[in-house]
Amino acid sequence: MKNIKYIIGSAMLFMASLTACKKDFLNLSPTDRVTGNSIASDTTLFEAYVTNRYLGVTLYSKEGSYSPPGFGRGFEYAMWSSVTDESIYTNNDGSWVLQQGQLSADNTGIAGTLWARSYRSIRECNYALSIIDGLPLNAAHKNRLLGEIRFIRAFRYHDLIRNYGGVVLIGDKVTDLNSNLQDPSLFKRSTIAESINYAIAQLDDATSKLPLNNSSAWALGRATKGAALAVKSRLLLYAASPLYDAGTWQAAAAAAKAVMDLGKYNIDQGGYAKLFLNPNSPEIIFERLYFSNTAIHLPIERANGPNGYDAWGGNTPLQNLVDAYPMANGKPITDASSGYDPQNPYVNRDPRFYATILYNKAPYRGSTVDIYLPGGKDSNQGPSNWNTSLTGYYLRKFMNDSYPIVNPASVAGAQPWIYFRYAEILLNYAEAQNEAEGPDQSVYQAINTVRSRASVLMPPLSGLSQSEMRTAIQNERQIELAFEEHRFYDVRRWKIAPQTENVPAYGISATVNSANPSGYTYAKKVALTGRTFKDQEYWLPIPLTEIQASNGQLKQNAGY
């Protein structure tokens, strides 16, 4: 397995190293960084510079603790799931600010790095574009690098748009820390439609330049046509959604269909759980690759496993998510005919439940997860009880049981983080086509392809109205894409956040009771108090430091 790795040290990641440095009285050149002149004249260094643009810099505590952050949070301590109704992070680390409605321009928690890291990356891409013509590259390779740079820049704009709405489009104007600082257009926010149209144009250009396949080992993990088309699919789906109201469902359906028509990707039939461990899965469109002993991520088994196994119980699933999983017969647990028993709640559920969540008496590493009281080893009466789950659940998804839990850093942390996979594209298409035309045969084909994965085999959907299909697609996204950084954006773009986020963060308690068939009494509990959502939280606040740095010229999002 190859990894996108930083090969020149941390200084490669800092754009400041590309600007003129004041020399001391000895007139010595620094030896701990690569200068802009070197990158602009050396094709090998330039290639490394472009590769490193797939990475970012650590701007907040516990980001990229093992290797630099990429796009999104990935396998960080507090995952992005823990600012949604999917999970809560036991140790807080800036995630409860969002869960409890305390978000403000000067109190952004783990959401505070998105603006700065995105624009830093955009500036770095602009620098690369400004020097590429002066390098002795053959035409084909130069074309590919141009496609990669524009892809990365568009990806960063996609991240800005989905978090802040309309953003500042700086074009190619800013290439270093001193570029055009007096230009008032650098503080003017474009509309959502203008922002999306700009990013889509960049993605179209990137698509025309990128290869269909990464055939060389050095190119693994880098952008392809499929990756660019996948970002376009997601952006146009967002654009058509109620919160954005800046595009059409027809365009969104066509964008997803363009990925499908490549004929390159398939639903992984090797197993839902296994696909997240396999960097070569046919389902993966774009991923971050890691490599043991070289560039690993936070070992997720240690960070999120049960306390009885001496793990840290980090991102713990909520009952809110557990209740979203239907029974194996396809019926929701709220259906009286589903067969659901609240006192034996974990039998005959959607198979993806068992691949995603560890629950009381779930099989795990040759034993079981025991959250029950009294005496359960994974309860607050077990070892390392300061790491006990607040919710009564632990994360299962992404875990590799062949990795050790104790002292794992040298032999763990090599799973890929998947940015885009084919199941998302199929669900994008199903949603957009249903909204555009109603539940035609192609909608059923798309969603049932996801549900018919060999390890899932959920009953196919049929006979639904457009509204019923909308609800089914929303539920399918919630469970199929759980913990993959979709839920936060989905509930906002659908404008259902007041319903999903203004309810308590629920967990479960299990008490030994031999009179019940399950052997336990289960009772819902509140795992985190004060969970709330305000209308301004449809968008994140631009950090106050950014507003102040613009001398008040940058317009803040409403409500902050």
Side-chain angles (χ1 to χ4, degrees), residues 203-349:
L203 290 167
D204 286 342
D205 183 74
T207 301
S208 71
K209 293 177 169 62
L210 291 169
L212 180 62
N213 300 300
N214 280 329
S215 55
S216 301
W218 61 265
L220 293 180
R222 294 166 73 159
T224 60
K225 288 186 187 296
L229 289 173
V231 181
K232 180 178 179 178
S233 170
R234 184 186 290 174
L235 259 180
L236 289 180
L237 184 76
Y238 286 8
S241 300
L243 178 64
Y244 292 72
D245 193 23
T248 68
W249 291 112
Q250 289 83 356
K257 189 67 162 53
V259 182
M260 297 158 65
D261 288 345
L262 290 176
K264 174 177 168 57
Y265 309 106
N266 298 287
I267 291 295
D268 192 331
Q269 299 300 332
Y272 180 79
K274 291 180 180 179
L275 85 87
F276 301 103
L277 311 181
N278 177 17
N280 301 310
S281 168
E283 190 165 334
I284 296 175
I285 299 173
F286 184 50
E287 64 187 328
R288 172 141 184 216
L289 294 171
Y290 297 86
F291 190 65
S292 295
N293 296 318
T294 303
I296 63 172
H297 55 69
L298 176 71
I300 192 168
E301 297 79 13
R302 186 73 188 275
N304 295 281
N307 63 285
Y309 297 77
D310 203 24
W312 300 338
N315 298 275
T316 54
L318 289 170
Q319 187 69 40
N320 310 50
L321 172 62
V322 171
D323 288 347
Y325 287 88
M327 302 298 286
N329 58 21
K331 296 180 179 181
I333 65 171
T334 53
D335 187 327
S337 65
S338 68
Y340 175 71
D341 179 357
Q343 291 307 314
N344 199 10
Y346 309 126
V347 296
N348 298 325
R349 302 294 290 271

Side-chain angles (χ1 to χ4, degrees), residues 355-366:
T356 304
I357 295 171
L358 291 172
Y359 52 92
N360 187 46
K361 302 309 295 182
Y364 186 60
R365 293 182 174 249

Side-chain angles (χ1 to χ4, degrees), residues 44-58:
T44 300
L45 288 177
F46 183 79
E47 183 91 40
Y49 179 83
V50 173
T51 301
N52 277 290
R53 304 289 63 78
Y54 288 92
L55 303 176
V57 292
T58 298

Side-chain angles (χ1 to χ4, degrees), residues 6 19 63 67 88 130 133 162 201 206 309 316 330 342 362 391 464 468 479 498 522 546:
Y6 50 112
T19 61
E63 282 187 330
S67 60
I88 57 172
S130 75
D133 284 339
R162 65 180 182 162
Y309 297 77
T316 54
T391 70
L464 303 182
E468 290 169 336
I479 58 181
Y522 289 98
E546 302 292 338

Side-chain angles (χ1 to χ4, degrees), residues 82 86-90 96 99 314-318 390-391 505 527-528:
S82 288
E86 291 179 325
S87 64
I88 57 172
Y89 187 63
T90 303
W96 294 4
Q99 289 278 25
N315 298 275
T316 54
L318 289 170
L390 301 178
T391 70
L528 180 68

Side-chain angles (χ1 to χ4, degrees), residues 457-537:
L457 292 178
M458 288 296 288
L461 301 178
S462 62
L464 303 182
S465 67
Q466 184 184 50
S467 176
E468 290 169 336
M469 178 59 82
R470 180 183 301 122
T471 300
I473 291 168
Q474 290 182 357
N475 178 250
E476 194 71 17
R477 287 184 70 93
Q478 184 179 10
I479 58 181
E480 171 70 24
L481 304 176
F483 296 95
E484 297 178 53
E485 302 191 346
H486 290 277
R487 185 67 174 169
F488 181 87
Y489 303 105
D490 280 349
V491 300
R492 283 161 173 77
R493 68 182 180 85
W494 292 328
K495 298 191 78 171
I496 65 170
Q499 289 74 54
T500 64
E501 310 305 285
N502 267 326
V503 295
Y506 286 116
I508 198 77
S509 66
T511 306
V512 174
N513 181 356
S514 59
N516 277 345
S518 66
Y520 303 92
T521 294
Y522 289 98
K524 186 179 288 190
K525 66 178 183 179
V526 174
L528 180 68
T529 59
R531 189 166 183 268
T532 188
F533 177 85
K534 306 182 185 73
D535 281 349
Q536 66 260 32
E537 292 168 7

